[in-house]
Amino acid sequence: MTAPAQHLLGGTDKAAIMVMLLAEEDASRILSQLTPDELRQLAGTMCGIGEVEPQAISDAIAGFSRSTEHSGISGHGRVDNVRRLLNGAVGEVKTDNLMRQVAPEAEEEGLPALGLLRWLDPKIIGEILADEHPQAIAVLLLQLDTDVAAAALAALPEDLHTPVLHRVARLGPVSRQAIEILEHTLNAKIEKLHGTIPLTMGGIRHAADIINRSHRSIEKNVMPKIGKIDKQLAKELENEMFKFEHLFVLDTKMTGVLLREIESDTLILALKGLEEEQREQFFGAMSSRAADGLRDEIEARGRVKKTEVEAAQKDIVTIAKRLIADGELIMGEGDEDYV
């Protein structure tokens, strides 16, 4: 890809070109003076700018030495070059974090087994990791989404739970060399099990997320048809698509509309399961006197069963869905009802 002409080059583009023309030692000294945000922007531009033609260099760097007018900057090995520069400026750990943000595709290509690990059934992950050292397991679990990591931990032998979680909490910096060693170990295990380990793809949550992000008409058209094919699936999809937490996007006015339809005891139980700051979403839609009274009632209720809280929250979700269907409750703009 050719760098754009001068009138299209922004300040970050010009800075990226200049840094790439410097010797690594000089570039590292400059990068070490930047803030994390500046580093992130500059590294992202350096990785994404592609081939930089001689004319683009001349246009971007006014008055630059004539000897550079025909040198150009190759795009080959760009990510590795950026990594070396950042290593010299901020160290390996910070560099790894930055590169995962600005060049995730390259990072994933470099760690194929870790990439595959994210697709495996958590029970299979538990089986693969069961004979690893707790430190190694902790590092590998941190490469996964939290929900997947939690399920994989549960699949491990119980005597590993405590040492693994202890190391997750106290892990600190991990060198890239250590990650690479774990990668080779993981690759060997996956190769040994090749063809026998199932990949987990799709599922209720993924389907619900796709529906939530689709045009409203898709939900209206698809959900009734799914209900005819598989009533249980339709019910599970509805539960996943609209959770109590989605109500947190309501503004004060709409929250007030919802509160008028909720029984006091149901509201007390539902809010009992929330953090104080989350409760403010509902307190803010009431008068100060009513909010103070509700706080006192929640406090006086004492401990309640989690199942009671969940049931109350589901009742409120049902009320919210009815109000949305009646056009009385608006959770977004236009067709984006769920955000």
Side-chain angles (χ1 to χ4, degrees):
M1 182 177 70
T2 302
Q6 181 179 0
H7 69 281
L8 293 178
L9 288 174
T12 305
D13 299 313
K14 296 175 183 177
I17 292 174
M18 176 62 82
V19 169
M20 289 187 290
L21 289 170
L22 297 175
E24 288 187 13
E25 183 179 351
D26 294 330
S28 293
R29 279 200 298 268
I30 292 174
L31 292 174
S32 67
Q33 304 301 312
L34 301 180
T35 67
D37 284 339
E38 290 169 338
L39 271 176
R40 189 177 297 108
Q41 292 180 37
L42 190 59
T45 302
M46 291 165 70
C47 290
I49 200 171
E51 299 289 335
V52 181
E53 297 293 335
Q55 186 59 48
I57 296 173
S58 180
D59 291 341
I61 315 299
F64 197 76
S65 172
R66 298 180 70 86
S67 63
T68 66
E69 291 183 356
H70 301 288
S71 62
I73 301 176
S74 173
H76 179 70
R78 175 67 50 74
V79 173
D80 290 336
N81 291 336
V82 173
R83 173 176 286 282
R84 284 199 302 274
L85 290 174
L86 292 177
N87 274 340
V90 298
E92 287 188 358
V93 175
K94 291 182 179 179
T95 294
D96 285 343
N97 289 331
L98 280 168
M99 294 304 291
R100 275 195 290 270
Q101 296 176 55
V102 302
E105 298 85 359
E107 293 295 286
E108 191 77 0
E109 288 173 6
L111 300 174
L114 292 181
L116 178 60
L117 195 67
R118 298 185 179 99
W119 290 95
L120 296 179
D121 184 285
K123 292 182 180 179
I124 300 298
I125 296 175
E127 293 176 9
I128 291 175
L129 302 183
D131 58 352
E132 293 294 329
H133 189 278
Q135 184 84 353
I137 297 174
V139 172
L140 292 169
L141 289 185
L142 288 171
Q143 313 299 316
L144 307 175
D145 291 338
T146 305
D147 289 344
V148 177
L153 178 68
L156 290 169
E158 189 173 342
D159 61 343
L160 283 174
H161 293 178
T162 299
V164 168
L165 285 175
H166 180 264
R167 284 164 174 79
V168 167
R170 296 291 190 186
L171 192 59
V174 178
S175 71
R176 185 165 185 81
Q177 287 79 8
I179 296 288
E180 289 174 352
I181 291 172
L182 290 177
E183 168 71 5
H184 291 312
T185 301
L186 201 57
N187 262 330
K189 289 191 173 185
I190 290 177
E191 286 178 9
K192 184 177 180 181
L193 295 170
H194 181 68
T196 65
I197 51 177
L199 295 180
T200 299
M201 303 180 69
I204 302 296
R205 180 176 297 179
H206 288 123
D209 284 344
I210 291 173
I211 295 173
N212 278 342
R213 288 164 174 75
S214 299
H215 193 278
R216 186 77 170 94
S217 61
I218 292 180
E219 178 192 344
K220 292 180 178 178
N221 180 48
V222 168
M223 288 303 294
K225 294 180 180 178
I226 291 179
K228 292 180 179 179
I229 300 171
D230 189 333
K231 290 183 179 180
Q232 181 61 32
L233 174 60
K235 183 177 180 181
E236 291 176 358
L237 279 172
E238 283 192 5
N239 289 338
E240 190 65 41
M241 285 166 56
F242 195 159
K243 294 183 175 180
F244 188 78
E245 290 77 12
H246 291 141
L247 298 175
F248 296 160
V249 303
L250 291 174
D251 59 24
T252 302
K253 181 180 178 181
M254 289 295 103
T255 302
V257 170
L258 176 62
L259 288 176
R260 287 196 290 271
E261 301 293 320
I262 303 173
E263 295 290 338
S264 176
D265 192 61
T266 301
L267 183 60
I268 291 170
L269 285 172
L271 298 191
K272 187 73 177 176
L274 302 181
E275 299 293 335
E276 185 62 33
E277 61 183 27
Q278 294 174 322
R279 295 173 186 170
E280 290 300 324
Q281 161 87 18
F282 301 90
F283 294 151
M286 305 175 182
S287 67
S288 298
R289 183 176 179 181
D292 288 340
L294 182 59
R295 288 189 182 95
D296 291 341
E297 290 188 68
I298 292 174
E299 185 66 26
R301 184 59 63 98
R303 297 182 64 185
V304 297
K305 294 180 180 179
K306 184 179 180 180
T307 53
E308 293 179 328
V309 171
E310 292 174 346
Q313 291 180 351
K314 286 182 179 180
D315 287 343
I316 293 177
V317 166
T318 299
I319 293 171
K321 291 167 70 174
R322 172 174 59 78
L323 292 175
I324 290 172
D326 293 342
E328 298 180 34
L329 190 67
I330 300 173
M331 296 194 65
E333 297 181 1
D335 292 310
E336 298 180 356
D337 294 303
Y338 303 105
V339 294

